[in-house]
Amino acid sequence: MKILLITEQRDATWNKVSFETLVAAQQIAAQTGGKLVGAVMGKGVDTLAGALATKKLDEVLLVEHDLLEKYTADGYTHALKQVIAQAQPDLVLLPHTYQVRDFAPKLAASLGKGMIGDCIGYRYENGKLVFVRQMFQGKTAADVAFQAAAPWFATLQAGAFRADQAQDGAAKAPVNHVSVNLKPEDIRTVPLELFREAKQAVDLTQAPIIVAIGRGIKEQKNLPLVENLAKVLGGEIAASRPICDEGWLPMDRQIGSSGQTVAPKLYIALGISGAIQHVVGMKGSRTVVAVNKDANAPIFEVADYGIVGDIFEVIPALAEELEKAKSA
Amino acid sequence: MNIAVCIKQVPAKDAPLQIPEGGAWIRETDIGFETNEPDGYALEEALRLKEKHGGEVVAISMGPERVKQTIKEAMAKGADRGIHVVDDKFFQLDPLGSARSLAAAIQKEKFDLILTGLQSDDHGFGQTGVLLAELLGLPHATIIMQIEVQDGRMRLKRELEAGWFQWMEAPLPAVLSIQSGINKPRYATLKGIMAAKKKEIASIPRASLGVDATPTQKVERIYVPAKTKKTEILTGTAREAAAKLVEKLKHEARVL
Ligand SMILES: Cc1cc2nc3c(=O)[nH]c(=O)nc-3n(C[C@H](O)[C@H](O)[C@H](O)COP(=O)(O)OP(=O)(O)OC[C@H]3O[C@@H](n4cnc5c(N)ncnc54)[C@H](O)[C@@H]3O)c2cc1C
Ligand SMILES: Nc1ncnc2c1ncn2[C@@H]1O[C@H](COP(=O)(O)O)[C@@H](O)[C@H]1O
């Protein structure tokens, strides 16, 4: 099976999920006895192409154009259609980043093909490739197989594979330029400046203890309960996205893919279901505690200690037991 | 400005999910359904744009008879009318087949803007908005946190990873997928609920749209993922469990 891996960079800096996806691509190539081709897109990214070429793959395609300097869905789709026409892959693998989810379904559909998105793994059994993805917010997994003729498209979730397992090549792979034809009128949107909101007031990345609250808290007026627990623990309070969306806590307290990524020595998740977008922001924590009334909540999958119960009973009890332990 | 909002109905957040043996979908009997939460933000954004620029808001939902309830709720909040693409087995559609069906219904009319939520809480494809744009031949933008319309163009704030944002411009018509948290969705008022009773829902059987829904992919089975990590579950009353936890954190994990 010939595999085309599409990497992602911005301003000549890799999005590191590219290398996690490389690991999956290397494994599938080895199992199916196929070739692996990696593509690097942008402008002035030849050094990145050179770096990718040190990895174990058969060829690197360098796709450069003035109109690819800044990402646009139209530009990337037009360019990649041409790359695919030349490379003729069976399987196109991409990292499931915000940028990829913005163009990859369009790219596949423009070729009349489908995409299996946000996969957490794959299986290759009896000559058949099956991708595994989550459904129902991580409460179930699904085995999904392609039906129609190749090329097939699949994206892999951040953290599904470990970038440090990427194999280096015995020799440097050839880097070949692919010239693509792009005209300004092909691109209907105008990308403008990137920015961050006003400076973050708290840096949660430095906090040794984080008490994080999710929608299980139900109402803003219940927050003092959690604030008190954080105080007793000497920790910072943080939250899942819906709590910040509601404005109950400021945005800079949000943990997850669109918030902060933290790795404290203790992370206590209270009434948080454990959706992947949250988990990517905290799974590096040394010790994780989860309290949830649903024994099947995905958050337990990343927890060292769990309590299946009502946070409105557990939080006060925990605060009291901690006070007791302190004075003992 | 005429705006279509795609709204999906999904199993209620706390619905117990039961998977029939070897099943590729959950058992739908005895569970509640609700509006896909992210779509509430898309609807709210559409209503605000209408209040500012005039026009109408049309709520579109594909699914079995029950999804009429979701359309009614959208109309109670202010959508002017609804389109129900009727298909009892819509959950079997793959992302492309589903988007082709919605696109065919949308194409029957003329909209300046088509809004979707970012992701559905059940399938979670995260593809529908982008696919609609491609199928309708329109430009698109995703993960949108702000929309300003002026002189037939839009200035958009797009969310990127890790706290970054980007401004961009797009022409109209276009398809946008809206990020949760962009606004504070309103509640339906009693007046709105009464007014909704007089609003119209056009029913279009999906089969009548004549779209090719040959699947590009197939869900072979769904299942509760096997636990890979050993989580130590602390049992007992809340107090007992809390006491055990403090003990563990102090002496086993040594993080206190
Ligand atoms: C592109 C994108 C980016 C995103 N970025 C982020 C991000 O950065 N961070 C983030 O957190 N999310 C993010 N999300 C949202 C994410 O998908 C989830 O929707 C979100 O994390 C869910 O938050 P939650 O767990 O608090 O709420 P829910 O999923 O509603 O879970 C609430 C949990 O509380 C439990 N519960 C309820 N009541 C009680 C009680 N009394 N006692 C105990 N337990 C109780 C329930 O069993 C449930 O498990 C993003 C989504 C997308 C699509
Ligand atoms: N059956 C449907 N009916 C109406 N809108 C839908 C349907 N399926 C998906 N959508 C829209 O597409 C968005 C993304 O869904 P998905 O691609 O399944 O994650 C949802 O938030 C809805 O706005």
Side-chain angles (χ1 to χ4, degrees):
Chain A
M1 176 177 299
K2 184 171 182 186
I3 301 169
L4 174 64
L5 162 76
I6 296 168
T7 61
E8 179 173 320
Q9 59 81 30
R10 187 165 72 210
D11 297 333
T13 303
W14 292 112
N15 183 318
K16 70 173 181 16
V17 190
S18 303
F19 287 89
E20 298 174 10
T21 310
L22 169 67
V23 174
Q26 286 180 333
Q27 287 179 8
I28 298 173
Q31 283 168 315
T32 62
K35 276 203 167 20
L36 171 57
V37 179
V40 180
M41 305 181 62
K43 189 191 164 192
V45 290
D46 48 328
T47 30
L48 294 193
L52 183 63
T54 64
K55 299 295 172 191
K56 188 174 175 206
L57 32 63
D58 297 286
E59 186 186 3
V60 171
L61 303 179
L62 178 55
V63 189
E64 290 195 296
H65 195 289
D66 284 351
L67 292 172
L68 295 175
E69 181 172 16
K70 283 189 179 164
Y71 165 78
T72 58
D74 284 339
Y76 268 51
T77 303
H78 273 284
L80 282 168
K81 265 173 92 164
Q82 297 170 51
V83 174
I84 289 167
Q86 289 179 44
Q88 300 273 333
D90 300 297
L91 176 65
V92 182
L93 282 182
L94 307 99
H96 189 80
T97 61
Y98 282 23
Q99 182 166 303
V100 163
R101 53 181 290 161
D102 192 63
F103 77 82
K106 173 182 168 72
L107 171 65
S110 75
L111 298 166
K113 304 296 175 188
M115 178 185 115
I116 304 180
D118 210 2
C119 301
I120 54 173
Y122 76 90
R123 289 199 309 275
Y124 183 64
E125 291 163 349
N126 310 320
K128 186 171 154 191
L129 197 54
V130 174
F131 282 91
V132 183
R133 64 186 302 278
Q134 294 178 321
M135 272 170 48
F136 299 99
Q137 296 257 302
K139 288 189 208 132
T140 78
D143 287 352
V144 192
F146 287 106
Q147 297 293 300
W152 303 318
F153 293 78
T155 66
L156 293 169
Q157 192 171 88
F161 290 83
R162 287 185 43 186
D164 59 6
Q165 289 177 353
Q167 290 181 26
D168 290 329
K172 210 167 167 183
V175 176
N176 294 316
H177 283 264
V178 178
S179 65
V180 290
N181 188 359
L182 277 180
K183 298 184 294 299
E185 58 270 28
D186 292 335
I187 298 170
R188 297 167 291 180
T189 58
V190 186
L192 301 169
E193 71 274 16
L194 269 64
F195 63 100
R196 270 173 178 272
E197 296 290 20
K199 228 181 76 213
Q200 313 230 317
V202 280
D203 183 5
L204 294 177
T205 60
Q206 301 304 317
I209 295 179
I210 291 178
V211 180
I213 187 69
R215 199 161 15 205
I217 195 70
K218 301 227 159 45
E219 290 181 77
Q220 185 171 21
K221 70 169 172 48
N222 298 328
L223 272 182
L225 207 60
V226 188
E227 279 156 0
N228 177 54
L229 178 63
K231 206 173 99 211
V232 176
L233 276 162
E236 289 284 351
I237 189 165
S240 65
R241 181 166 182 128
I243 302 301
C244 301
D245 282 349
E246 291 278 3
W248 297 350
L249 282 175
M251 274 282 278
D252 53 13
R253 300 250 167 206
Q254 180 180 316
I255 304 298
S257 62
S258 46
Q260 300 206 40
T261 298
V262 295
K265 65 175 185 186
L266 176 60
Y267 190 93
I268 304 187
L270 304 162
I272 292 178
S273 61
I276 181 65
Q277 294 89 358
H278 185 81
V279 169
V280 293
M282 47 67 71
K283 67 176 178 194
S285 307
R286 199 165 97 210
T287 300
V288 175
V289 174
V291 183
N292 197 301
K293 65 176 184 189
D294 176 5
N296 288 322
I299 190 71
F300 287 121
E301 181 61 17
V302 293
D304 299 284
Y305 302 108
I307 297 177
V308 180
D310 186 343
I311 53 170
F312 295 106
E313 289 172 19
V314 176
I315 297 174
L318 189 54
E320 271 176 46
E321 290 298 325
L322 283 162
E323 292 280 20
K324 244 202 268 171
K326 257 199 230 168
S327 51
Chain B
M1 203 158 151
N2 296 330
I3 308 172
V5 192
C6 297
I7 304 181
K8 192 178 187 182
Q9 193 187 53
V10 297
K13 278 216 150 52
D14 53 3
L17 301 184
Q18 283 186 38
I19 304 166
E21 185 63 25
W25 188 246
I26 51 160
R27 191 168 283 135
E28 288 204 356
T29 40
D30 305 328
I31 61 167
F33 290 86
E34 62 191 20
T35 298
N36 183 44
E37 189 173 292
D39 304 354
Y41 293 97
L43 172 65
E44 178 63 33
E45 209 50 31
L47 295 173
R48 290 183 188 193
L49 287 168
K50 174 192 145 169
E51 282 157 9
K52 222 167 163 179
H53 303 282
E56 67 165 358
V57 171
V58 181
I60 303 182
S61 190
M62 177 165 65
E65 195 56 28
R66 60 171 159 78
V67 314
K68 279 218 168 75
Q69 180 57 30
T70 282
I71 298 176
K72 280 182 193 153
E73 284 168 21
M75 295 193 308
K77 288 184 178 181
D80 298 281
R81 57 188 173 93
I83 297 175
H84 175 199
V85 180
V86 190
D87 183 355
D88 287 348
K89 295 241 155 69
F90 83 112
F91 58 83
Q92 293 177 339
L93 293 169
D94 70 350
L96 190 56
S98 171
R100 277 182 175 147
S101 311
L102 286 169
I106 290 169
Q107 212 142 29
K108 286 179 178 285
E109 311 217 7
K110 221 172 131 39
F111 293 108
D112 301 298
L113 192 60
I114 295 135
L115 301 185
T116 73
L118 192 58
Q119 200 151 315
S120 58
D121 282 350
D122 52 0
H123 286 100
F125 292 136
Q127 297 194 29
T128 305
V130 177
L131 290 174
L132 285 177
E134 173 63 22
L135 297 168
L136 296 166
L138 297 176
H140 76 268
T142 58
I143 327 192
I144 296 305
M145 286 297 279
Q146 196 175 321
I147 306 173
E148 291 160 20
V149 181
Q150 212 176 16
D151 307 324
R153 283 187 75 77
M154 293 183 289
R155 187 173 148 85
L156 303 165
K157 180 174 156 189
R158 169 171 152 66
E159 182 180 298
L160 305 177
E161 280 125 336
W164 284 90
F165 296 91
Q166 182 175 26
W167 286 110
M168 61 180 286
E169 274 175 27
L172 287 166
V175 182
L176 302 180
S177 68
I178 302 299
Q179 171 64 304
S180 302
I182 182 175
N183 52 37
K184 280 219 176 316
R186 70 194 65 187
Y187 292 99
T189 59
L190 192 59
K191 202 171 139 220
I193 295 169
M194 296 312 289
K197 292 199 182 359
K198 289 194 219 81
K199 293 177 181 172
E200 210 180 296
I201 302 179
S203 286
I204 308 177
R206 200 185 70 79
S208 75
L209 290 167
V211 294
D212 170 19
T214 316
T216 60
Q217 57 190 260
K218 180 169 170 254
V219 175
E220 302 201 316
R221 71 185 184 105
I222 63 172
Y223 48 95
V224 176
K227 295 248 178 297
T228 53
K229 184 161 174 176
K230 264 217 168 67
T231 302
E232 192 174 344
I233 298 288
L234 307 170
T235 54
T237 61
R239 176 155 306 274
E240 286 159 5
K244 283 183 198 165
L245 178 61
V246 173
E247 205 36 45
K248 297 273 178 194
L249 293 179
K250 256 186 130 157
H251 302 295
E252 201 174 87
R254 295 172 186 280
V255 287
L256 291 183

